[in-house]
Amino acid sequence: RSPVRRIAVEDGRACAVVLENGQRIEARYVLSNADAQQTVHELVGSEAFPPHFLAALARMKPSLSAFVVYLATDLPLDRDTTSHETFYYPSWDHDAAHASSERGLPAWVSVTAPSLADPSLAPSGEQLLMLTALVRHDALPWRDYKRAMTNALIGIADRWVGGLASHVRFCEGASPRTLERYTRNSNGALYGWE
């Protein structure tokens, strides 16, 4: 539960991690759950890797990221239209849906309702939902658009899960920047690499 500042390498092998507070922890093995770009360039240092590996890494492109809204609702969910995970698209044209994601203005949403599968996750009479739409990490200045995007995804979901917008008890939006901060995936890449 401590941020790592550096992975120490000696004689060609990882041997310790250095925490943000400067504490060094020796280790026989070091595993990084940050993506390869951040592990190589920020945590280890590119000088520890052979040129052919660095060249291959430079060619890799992160996948799309996502904007996610975490919310709680007291709206009873209709199991005929909403299940544990449901994708709501405005049409069968998935190329258009992808293009809307690339622009950062998704026309579709995935609604995940974990409390439908496990009711113990929410208080009685409430449901937990995650509204997710793929977006490019650089499509919009997310700090400026976070509230608007949160409301937009709730609005899209409301078209399919009627009454949702007026039954939100709690919501929190997570932009690609949020996902990058929590997952250490470059650009908040949701699926790692394209």
Side-chain angles (χ1 to χ4, degrees):
R1 295 185 176 263
S2 300
V4 173
R5 179 189 314 157
R6 192 102 176 120
I7 296 173
V9 175
E10 295 172 4
D11 297 323
R13 81 178 263 295
C15 60
V17 293
V18 179
L19 302 181
E20 197 61 46
N21 66 8
Q23 178 184 1
R24 181 181 167 109
I25 300 172
E26 302 293 325
R28 181 178 292 171
Y29 303 102
V30 175
L31 301 176
S32 174
N33 71 335
D35 73 18
Q37 294 280 4
Q38 291 187 42
T39 299
V40 168
H41 298 296
E42 295 177 29
L43 296 175
V44 174
S46 57
E47 66 279 355
F49 295 88
H52 70 277
F53 177 83
L54 296 173
L57 184 61
R59 289 189 300 271
M60 295 176 72
K61 184 176 175 185
S63 73
L64 285 175
S65 186
F67 196 97
V68 183
V69 177
Y70 303 94
L71 64 83
T73 181
D74 58 4
L75 181 69
L77 296 180
D78 178 358
R79 290 178 187 259
D80 292 333
T81 58
T82 305
S83 61
H84 170 66
E85 184 171 27
T86 309
F87 291 82
Y88 296 108
Y89 288 92
S91 76
W92 290 103
D93 187 348
H94 289 289
D95 289 332
H98 181 74
S100 72
S101 292
E102 287 278 334
R103 290 190 307 274
L105 303 169
W108 64 277
V109 67
S110 162
V111 177
T112 305
S115 52
L116 280 179
D118 182 356
S120 72
L121 295 174
S124 180
E126 293 189 15
Q127 299 287 340
L128 300 179
L129 299 178
M130 291 175 288
L131 314 178
T132 306
L134 300 180
V135 294
R136 262 194 13 249
H137 79 283
D138 60 350
L140 295 170
W142 294 111
R143 184 172 287 149
D144 299 335
Y145 283 86
K146 195 170 189 177
R147 175 56 48 199
M149 182 62 77
T150 299
N151 291 336
L153 290 189
I154 291 171
I156 293 169
D158 186 68
R159 283 185 235 143
W160 304 95
V161 184
L164 178 63
S166 59
H167 286 271
V168 173
R169 304 204 16 104
F170 167 84
C171 77
E172 180 71 34
S175 72
R177 291 172 48 116
T178 310
L179 298 179
E180 182 172 29
R181 189 170 68 250
Y182 280 97
T183 66
R184 299 277 318 229
N185 282 345
S186 297
N187 302 330
L190 196 62
Y191 300 110
W193 308 101
E194 273 191 352

